[in-house]
Amino acid sequence: MQPQDVVVRLTLFLLLAFCLLGSAATASAASKTWVPTTGGLWTTAANWNPSGAPAEGDDVTIPADQSANITAVPAMTLSNLTINGTCIFAAATSGTALTASNSFTVISGKTLTLGAPSARLNFTLASTATGTIAGTVVVTSGGGTFLCNGDLTMTSTGIINGPGIFTLSAGATLRIGSTAGISSSGSSGNIQVSGGLNYNVAANYVYDGTANQTTGTGLPSNLTGSLTINNPGNTVTLNNAETIASGGTVNIVSGTFATGTSLTMATTSSINRSGGTVTGTLQGSGVYNVTYTGNSMTTSSELSGAGLNNVTVNLSAGQTLTLGANVSPDGNLTVNSGALDLSTFTINRSSSGGIFTLANGATLLVGGASNFPANYSAVNLGDTSTVNYDAAGAQNVSAQTYGNLIFSGSGTKSIVSGTSITGNLNIGSGAIASIGSGLVIPVGSLTLGGLGEASGTWGSTTATLATFHND
């Protein structure tokens, strides 16, 4: 036998072994559906379809209401647990732990009771799992717990209640659909247990209801995780003092976040806005950053804090962020993609320093008489970036090295010494470019009224071209 034959046969053997192991692993995971409607022993094979009690990693569905307890529920980890019927899980041994590692669902109108007298059951939604509760989960007394390490959605009708304990771990996510949010006492909102509420400051809180919401008193302050507002067409009102601590983030996705005077941004916190809007006035002087993504929008109160530092625009191509008020960041202004429309407002740095960057492919629209971003120690305008002075009136053009420069709208655009254009200078039909006497402004190419012009010198009686007037 040749050496290469040995290698080939060994390779085939290993591939076959892996296939067999994979088949065995797949075969070990089963979907089990509860058969009775009168409760019964979890461990009885005939109570399941297909026959046989669930094993570790199986999927379990309770399809119908039960008139008695499902008993002897063992300590185990299921992949998916789906509750389509009202039922009570009584533990085999009080304090037994039941875990869902992939998904957990309780449909609207149905109730899952975790545990029974002397048969307490502790439930864990694993960090790898997602859960949706549209019905009710009852956590029983005697130290019964619902531990969320994963991503749990509580719809507007979803409730966790009972005399037990609810814990949301660091890194876990709670999606809150109740109009009352979450309460620190458990008296209202999605989580209404009376045995103890543990909302971790490093968890993620998402308000994604379908009507107006209040955050509730349960939202922890000094949040180092994230607070997300995603309630399209509605308002989420912050009704308790809240501080976003160092490393914490506010995400505005959709809807209005009404902060009043209750939101404080601490140093090195941040706001990410991809939609929606913010009202109120941010409190404190903590140094925080704001980043914009997604589609067109107008700035709002996210820029109102005294500690506003860096402002970054990362909009989708063709989308525009419109400045809605004068703001004075303490850090850098960066437009990486999309457009920033200043309108007639200013975004001048609070004091000299920092960097203003307009990246290649990005656009800045300047609509005021003289409101190009000022007080930045360095201005970096990408070679393929575009600055458009678009006011319907006279404007002063900042002395910069531009990528592409457009004069649109109407009126005179006055160019001063120190100005150059790497790319194209485009002068619209309603605009007039005024260049100071004796100045030479180098440009890569020139477009007048939509028509490209020949190379040469324009704009003086000594011009090399037959047509030299810029009006």
Side-chain angles (χ1 to χ4, degrees), residues 2-96:
Q2 296 298 316
Q4 57 266 37
D5 294 334
V6 174
V7 173
V8 169
R9 291 190 182 191
L10 181 58
T11 302
L12 290 173
F13 172 79
L14 291 172
L15 287 173
L16 178 60
F18 281 125
C19 289
L20 290 173
L21 286 172
S23 297
T26 302
S28 68
S31 294
K32 298 286 187 173
T33 301
W34 182 257
V35 175
T37 58
T38 55
L41 283 167
W42 179 285
T43 52
T44 298
N47 286 342
W48 298 96
N49 181 27
S51 181
E56 290 280 332
D58 281 353
D59 301 335
V60 166
T61 300
I62 310 299
D65 293 351
Q66 302 296 304
S67 60
N69 295 354
I70 297 175
T71 60
V73 177
M76 67 186 315
T77 296
L78 300 172
S79 179
N80 304 301
L81 175 59
T82 303
I83 306 299
N84 293 331
T86 294
C87 57
I88 297 174
F89 281 4
T93 303
S94 190
T96 289

Side-chain angles (χ1 to χ4, degrees), residues 157-186:
T157 59
I159 293 175
I160 299 176
N161 63 17
I165 301 167
F166 176 84
T167 298
L168 184 69
S169 300
T173 298
L174 180 63
R175 302 179 186 275
I176 302 161
S178 171
T179 57
I182 52 176
S183 167
S184 59
S185 66

Side-chain angles (χ1 to χ4, degrees), residues 368-395:
S370 184
N371 65 328
F372 187 91
N375 288 339
Y376 296 93
S377 294
V379 176
N380 299 327
L381 306 179
D383 289 347
T384 60
S385 68
T386 300
V387 176
N388 185 350
Y389 288 83
D390 63 351
Q395 291 182 279

Side-chain angles (χ1 to χ4, degrees), residues 117-313:
S118 301
R120 173 171 51 86
L121 187 66
N122 297 325
F123 180 80
T124 298
L125 186 70
S127 61
T128 55
T130 58
T132 301
I133 299 176
T136 301
V137 173
V138 180
V139 186
T140 54
S141 60
T145 61
F146 188 111
L147 173 61
C148 179
N149 293 328
D151 189 325
L152 178 62
T153 295
M154 303 293 299
T155 72
S156 61
T157 59
I159 293 175
I160 299 176
N161 63 17
I165 301 167
F166 176 84
T167 298
L168 184 69
S169 300
T173 298
L174 180 63
R175 302 179 186 275
I176 302 161
S178 171
T179 57
I182 52 176
S183 167
S184 59
S185 66
S187 61
S188 62
N190 282 130
I191 315 296
Q192 299 184 22
V193 297
S194 58
L197 284 163
N198 302 304
Y199 294 120
N200 198 291
V201 296
N204 305 302
Y205 299 83
V206 180
Y207 288 83
D208 60 354
T210 56
N212 291 337
Q213 294 179 277
T214 56
T215 56
T217 57
L219 179 66
S221 193
N222 295 310
L223 195 68
T224 59
S226 66
L227 169 61
T228 299
I229 308 301
N230 187 14
N231 190 340
N234 298 303
T235 297
V236 178
T237 300
L238 184 61
N239 63 336
N240 208 44
E242 174 66 36
T243 296
I244 307 300
S246 175
T249 302
V250 176
N251 301 307
I252 310 299
V253 179
S254 66
T256 298
F257 187 28
T259 67
T261 56
S262 297
L263 182 62
T264 298
M265 303 300 294
T267 296
T268 66
S269 61
S270 61
I271 297 176
N272 299 321
R273 187 175 160 209
S274 59
T277 190
V278 181
T279 63
T281 302
L282 303 188
Q283 303 298 297
S285 56
V287 178
Y288 74 100
N289 301 319
V290 177
T291 300
Y292 295 91
T293 61
N295 296 324
S296 295
M297 67 186 86
T298 299
T299 64
S300 58
S301 293
E302 69 275 1
L303 299 179
S304 65
L308 176 65
N309 191 43
N310 298 325
V311 177
T312 303
V313 181

